[in-house]
Amino acid sequence: PIPGRCSYFVERKKRFCKMIPAPGKRFCGEHGQQEEENERKRIPCPLDPKHTVYEDQLQKHLKKCNSREKPKPVYFVQDINAGLKDVSEIPEKQVPISSLSKEELQNLIIKLKKACNGLELCLKDQILSHQALQEALNDPKNGESAFKHLKQQASILGNLEKLHLLGPGRCFVEFGAGRGKLSHWVYAALQSAENVQFLLVERATTRFKIDGKHKRKDSVFERLQVDIQHLCLKKVPVLEKKKLPVVGIGKHLCGAATDLALRCLVESYTTCCDGENEEPAPKRSRNDKTEVASNNSDDNEHNKEDCKPVAGIVIALCCHHKCDWTHYVGREFFKSLGLGPVEFHYFQRMSSWATCGMREITAKVSTSQESEDQTNDTEEHEQTFSKTESGADTSQGILSVEERKEIGCLCKLLIDYGRIEYLQQRGYKAALQYYTESAVSLENVLLTAVPSPALLPE
């Protein structure tokens, strides 16, 4: 280096820096700081190893790190909707379907078909629409992907209206809300309604939220950033204050999230669970369908003013291959059919065949469109299967694509009937129906439930 000049070698210029450093310093202001940083050690953040921090600034970083544990909201109750508490019932890790022998796979299919005997296999078409979405549906600026989502949202609103759930004095709880599109359209349909509340439940931070655009005195949007597994609706301040009947809604509520949402609505909320350590309502036998969730008449009278029943549930189902025996609400239904966690594990994996069999055909038509749908709208979950789920079994040469599709549909139906049975045992009139064409969405089954007359407030 030139005497009296900066001692930092500038690699890009192949020479030393010509800046004059401060008295007693070897480097100029810029390169002195850079050299100092090069000598400082960076370590993984103990709260989240995906990012690093200077070791000498660790304590300061921990106080402001985005991954630090934040104070829990009042409606957070650990595992209140989780379901299974008995560790002995939790299934051990099972071998993948592709590793099963031909005989084992055939035995599973025999069990499946036997379990489905007596079930209504042909669901009713309930493809409806709603005036609130007509302008958007007729807008030529919407692409194919947006049009498909609008058709689904319109049908969900149509079904809500048919069940007399669209009206004033309601709190709409959208589970797995994402950007809040479904609540947006419910809001649009209830422009003139008074005393309407929206709770949007989403565990992840979401960008481009639509609910942020809506401000109205009698219709308030509130986001609950919490996993459904830990959500106690009874403790949500706005429900404690207004005591509105709840309508649970969801579009493509993925896998186990549906079971968590159902338990959240009909157990931890409807039964007015007080205190963080209370157990959810006890399960009822299959012959107890006429009973309602509040069997204790004294407690029911005491809580009548504090807790109204859920007015209705309308959820578009999705991703049965992501269901979990631990959270599944239909375990008693499976046990009554002589099935258990092992069969459930394989059936929920095989349920992906219902859509993966079709994907081999649709992928040839428009692979680029599938990618666009995934990128533009993460609400659509039907494209999220791995290769092992979709095609590993064909190498055995046991089943054709059409046979796999049929078996996959039976698996989905059996899992869904467990949910229907769960709701019926708790005094709800529940049903499954097709709410849109398979060309619009392969995940086209809608679960609806309204309280039986015994649950309705007088």
Side-chain angles (χ1 to χ4, degrees):
I2 303 171
R5 300 298 177 96
C6 179
S7 298
Y8 186 84
F9 185 78
V10 184
E11 185 65 34
R12 182 173 60 86
K13 296 183 177 180
K14 304 299 181 184
R15 63 168 174 78
F16 286 93
C17 175
K18 295 180 180 180
M19 298 295 290
I20 300 174
K25 301 287 186 179
R26 290 183 58 230
F27 302 99
C28 66
E30 180 182 350
H31 294 131
Q33 183 179 359
Q34 187 172 340
E35 191 68 19
E36 182 183 340
E37 289 185 355
N38 289 340
E39 293 174 359
R40 294 166 70 190
K41 182 181 179 182
R42 292 189 72 88
I43 59 172
C45 173
L47 299 178
D48 182 5
K50 293 180 181 178
H51 66 273
T52 60
V53 60
Y54 286 117
E55 189 174 25
D56 56 0
Q57 290 187 339
L58 177 60
Q59 294 307 315
K60 181 180 178 181
H61 171 79
L62 291 176
K63 294 178 182 179
K64 62 181 181 180
C65 179
N66 289 333
S67 298
R68 71 189 184 281
E69 186 173 357
K70 300 174 180 65
K72 296 289 191 295
V74 292
Y75 46 79
F76 181 98
V77 179
Q78 185 72 37
D79 293 329
I80 188 170
N81 304 313
L84 189 62
K85 297 290 194 301
D86 187 357
V87 180
S88 64
E89 266 198 63
I90 298 176
E92 298 179 2
K93 187 175 181 180
Q94 305 292 334
V95 298
I97 296 176
S98 56
S99 300
L100 295 176
S101 67
K102 181 177 180 179
E103 289 72 26
E104 289 172 325
L105 183 58
Q106 287 176 336
N107 285 337
L108 275 174
I109 295 172
I110 291 171
K111 284 185 178 182
L112 172 66
K113 292 183 176 180
K114 181 180 178 181
C116 290
N117 280 340
L119 299 182
E120 183 62 52
L121 302 182
C122 296
L123 302 183
K124 181 181 178 182
D125 283 335
Q126 196 79 332
I127 302 171
L128 305 175
S129 190
H130 195 277
Q131 186 62 35
L133 288 94
Q134 288 311 305
E135 184 177 346
L137 284 167
N138 295 328
D139 188 350
K141 294 180 181 178
N142 287 318
E144 184 180 352
S145 175
F147 179 71
K148 287 181 177 181
H149 286 289
L150 287 168
K151 286 196 72 173
Q152 294 172 67
Q153 290 151 353
S155 185
I156 292 174
L157 260 68
N159 278 276
L160 281 165
E161 188 171 55
K162 185 178 178 65
L163 294 169
H164 307 291
L165 296 175
L166 285 181
R170 301 279 167 84
C171 178
F172 293 88
V173 183
E174 183 179 358
F175 294 94
R179 292 175 59 194
K181 291 182 179 179
L182 184 55
S183 291
H184 161 78
W185 290 115
V186 173
Y187 173 92
L190 296 173
Q191 285 289 340
S192 59
E194 296 182 354
N195 197 21
V196 177
Q197 178 74 32
F198 293 90
L199 295 177
L200 282 69
V201 182
E202 178 59 64
R203 65 182 179 182
T205 305
T206 309
R207 300 175 65 195
F208 311 118
K209 297 184 283 287
I210 294 179
D211 45 290
K213 302 176 182 178
H214 298 295
K215 300 291 180 185
R216 199 176 79 183
K217 182 179 179 181
D218 296 325
S219 183
V220 181
F221 282 78
E222 181 180 344
R223 278 195 171 256
L224 308 180
Q225 189 175 341
V226 62
D227 194 310
I228 305 170
Q229 182 170 331
H230 312 301
L231 172 60
C232 181
L233 284 176
K234 170 68 176 171
K235 294 179 180 290
V236 176
V238 70
L239 286 177
E240 282 188 313
K241 181 181 178 181
K242 294 189 175 182
K243 303 188 185 303
L244 296 171
V246 164
V247 178
I249 59 176
K251 176 176 175 286
H252 290 174
L253 193 56
C254 205
T258 294
D259 300 298
L260 296 173
L262 293 178
R263 195 175 282 109
C264 176
L265 289 165
V266 306
E267 288 189 32
S268 68
Y269 178 67
T270 306
T271 57
C272 291
C273 176
D274 293 316
E276 293 187 4
N277 297 321
E278 286 200 27
E279 294 289 326
K283 302 222 176 324
R284 317 209 173 269
S285 66
R286 294 192 71 201
N287 298 324
D288 200 15
K289 292 184 181 180
T290 58
E291 296 284 340
V292 297
S294 50
N295 259 351
N296 297 329
S297 57
D298 293 338
D299 291 342
N300 189 43
E301 287 298 319
H302 176 72
N303 290 328
K304 195 171 184 179
E305 293 299 320
D306 295 329
C307 184
K308 293 182 179 180
V310 172
I313 301 170
V314 176
I315 294 175
L317 305 172
C318 180
C319 295
H320 295 70
H321 66 285
K322 291 186 178 180
C323 290
D324 189 299
W325 178 258
T326 304
H327 303 313
Y328 181 51
V329 296
R331 292 193 303 271
E332 295 303 318
F333 170 72
F334 259 62
K335 290 177 183 177
S336 70
L337 296 173
L339 306 172
V342 174
E343 289 81 10
F344 180 83
H345 165 81
Y346 289 118
F347 291 167
Q348 57 103 349
R349 304 313 294 176
M350 290 157 64
S351 69
S352 65
W353 293 353
T355 48
C356 289
M358 289 296 291
R359 187 160 302 106
E360 296 179 14
I361 300 170
T362 57
K364 296 176 183 178
V365 178
S366 178
T367 306
S368 59
Q369 182 61 47
E370 284 188 2
S371 301
E372 184 183 340
D373 288 353
Q374 280 190 50
T375 306
N376 292 346
D377 202 324
T378 55
E379 286 182 317
E380 195 73 82
H381 296 164
E382 62 192 37
Q383 308 292 343
T384 59
F385 307 108
S386 67
K387 290 181 180 178
T388 55
E389 290 167 333
S390 61
D393 309 284
T394 56
S395 61
Q396 300 181 41
I398 300 173
L399 302 167
S400 67
V401 169
E402 284 303 316
E403 287 172 328
R404 290 209 325 276
K405 180 188 172 186
E406 179 187 354
I407 291 167
C409 289
L410 288 178
C411 290
K412 289 161 72 75
L413 198 63
L414 188 64
I415 291 171
D416 289 339
Y417 267 107
R419 292 162 170 167
I420 295 296
E421 179 89 356
Y422 167 83
L423 290 166
Q424 289 175 342
Q425 288 178 8
R426 281 154 180 80
Y428 288 82
K429 182 181 178 181
L432 299 169
Q433 52 263 313
Y434 294 121
Y435 77 104
T436 192
E437 301 91 347
S438 59
V440 172
S441 175
L442 296 176
E443 298 282 15
N444 62 342
V445 174
L446 190 72
L447 182 151
T448 63
V450 292
S452 65
L455 270 181
L456 293 173
E458 297 178 1

